[in-house]
């Protein structure tokens, strides 16, 4: 069977199981062939050997059971990086790139940045890759997640990120940062979406945060001033319907220059605030 026929068969099977059936099929076949997706378009008539076809069908069966593409292939593209992903980490998503963009705009070349709940290290490593002179501290309470993040930094030749195992600020040495960034858990604990789609396979501790989804965000906003320099920034990713609540929390805590930024889909996604002591 050739590339084109194999893809067509896979897409037909995936249509009822995935909203991105075509993309899923292409990613899985390209992974098995160890080629780019562009290769599939350039050489649609190329025959696929029986061993590769068998491997592809095994991966297809996993996707049909709902296993996320990133867990099947063990990797996910984010920013300009190719990151290792495991069930111990949140799968990096395109919306989170807004957090990186905002940090790069607000930060200076000599900034010391703290990434809280780093997971795969996506945010910290992306920032560090663009600003080699910036020092980034990345922490996570999960030793398994932190190991993945450290491996991602090494594979992508990033040397200006320091990793610490810490439950938010609890194990950090006393110091202050020019910027704190975080993509914390922000889904409501009883949200039915937690039992649907890819999130079923991701760690619940990286997703849910109390009845209104804001428990961790409240903690970060209340605690961050103790760790920020005068004029430092706090940047938080949150849900599409939480912009008003998060900006209100920032203002109530005394942050200035508070603003909520939309993602490419126009949804509220990142809120920022500046800490001024004068």
């Amino acid at each position: 069977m050739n590339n084109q026929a194999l893809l067509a068969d896979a897409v037909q099977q995936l249509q009822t199981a995935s909203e991105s059936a075509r993309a899923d099929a292409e990613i899985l076949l390209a992974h098995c062939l160890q080629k780019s997706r562009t290769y599939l378009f350039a050489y649609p008539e190329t025959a696929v050997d029986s061993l590769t076809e068998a491997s592809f069908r095994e991966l297809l069966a996993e996707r049909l059971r709902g296993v996320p593409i990133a867990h099947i292939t063990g990797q996910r593209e984010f920013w300009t990086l190719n990151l290792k992903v495991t069930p111990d980490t949140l799968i990096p998503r395109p919306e989170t790139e807004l957090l990186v963009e905002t940090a790069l705009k607000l930060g200076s070349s000599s900034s010391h940045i703290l990434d809280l709940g780093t997971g795969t290290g996506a945010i910290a490593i992306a920032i560090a890759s663009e600003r080699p002179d910036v020092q980034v501290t990345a922490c996570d309470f999960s030793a398994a997640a932190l190991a993945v993040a450290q491996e991602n930094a090494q594979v992508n030749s990033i040397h200006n990120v320091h990793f610490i195992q810490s439950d938010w600020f609890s194990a950090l040495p006393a110091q202050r940062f020019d910027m704190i960034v975080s993509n914390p858990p922000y889904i409501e604990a009883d949200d039915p979406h937690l039992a649907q789609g890819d999130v079923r396979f991701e760690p619940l501790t990286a997703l849910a945060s109390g009845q209104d989804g804001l428990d961790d965000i409240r903690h970060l906003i209340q605690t961050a001033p103790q760790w920020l320099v005068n004029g430092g920034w706090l940047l938080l990713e949150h849900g599409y319907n939480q912009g008003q609540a998060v900006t209100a929390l920032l203002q109530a805590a005394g942050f200035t220059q508070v603003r909520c930024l939309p993602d490419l889909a126009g949804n509220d996604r990142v809120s920022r605030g500046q800490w001024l002591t004068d």
Side-chain angles (χ1 to χ4, degrees), residues 182-210:
S182 184
N183 176 19
Y186 55 73
I187 300 176
E188 297 174 8
D190 59 355
D191 191 315
H193 292 97
L194 291 170
Q196 302 170 10
D198 287 359
V199 297
R200 292 174 295 164
F201 297 85
E202 296 178 275
L204 185 62
T205 53
L207 295 164
S209 182

Side-chain angles (χ1 to χ4, degrees), residues 123-165:
I123 297 166
I125 296 170
I127 293 171
S129 71
E130 296 291 339
R131 299 277 174 81
D133 48 352
V134 163
Q135 293 301 310
V136 184
T137 297
C139 71
D140 203 291
F141 82 95
S142 167
L146 210 60
V148 173
Q150 289 173 307
E151 183 175 342
N152 281 329
Q154 183 176 9
V155 168
N156 286 281
S157 300
I158 301 300
H159 306 294
N160 52 324
V161 181
H162 175 55
F163 296 95
I164 298 177
Q165 186 174 359

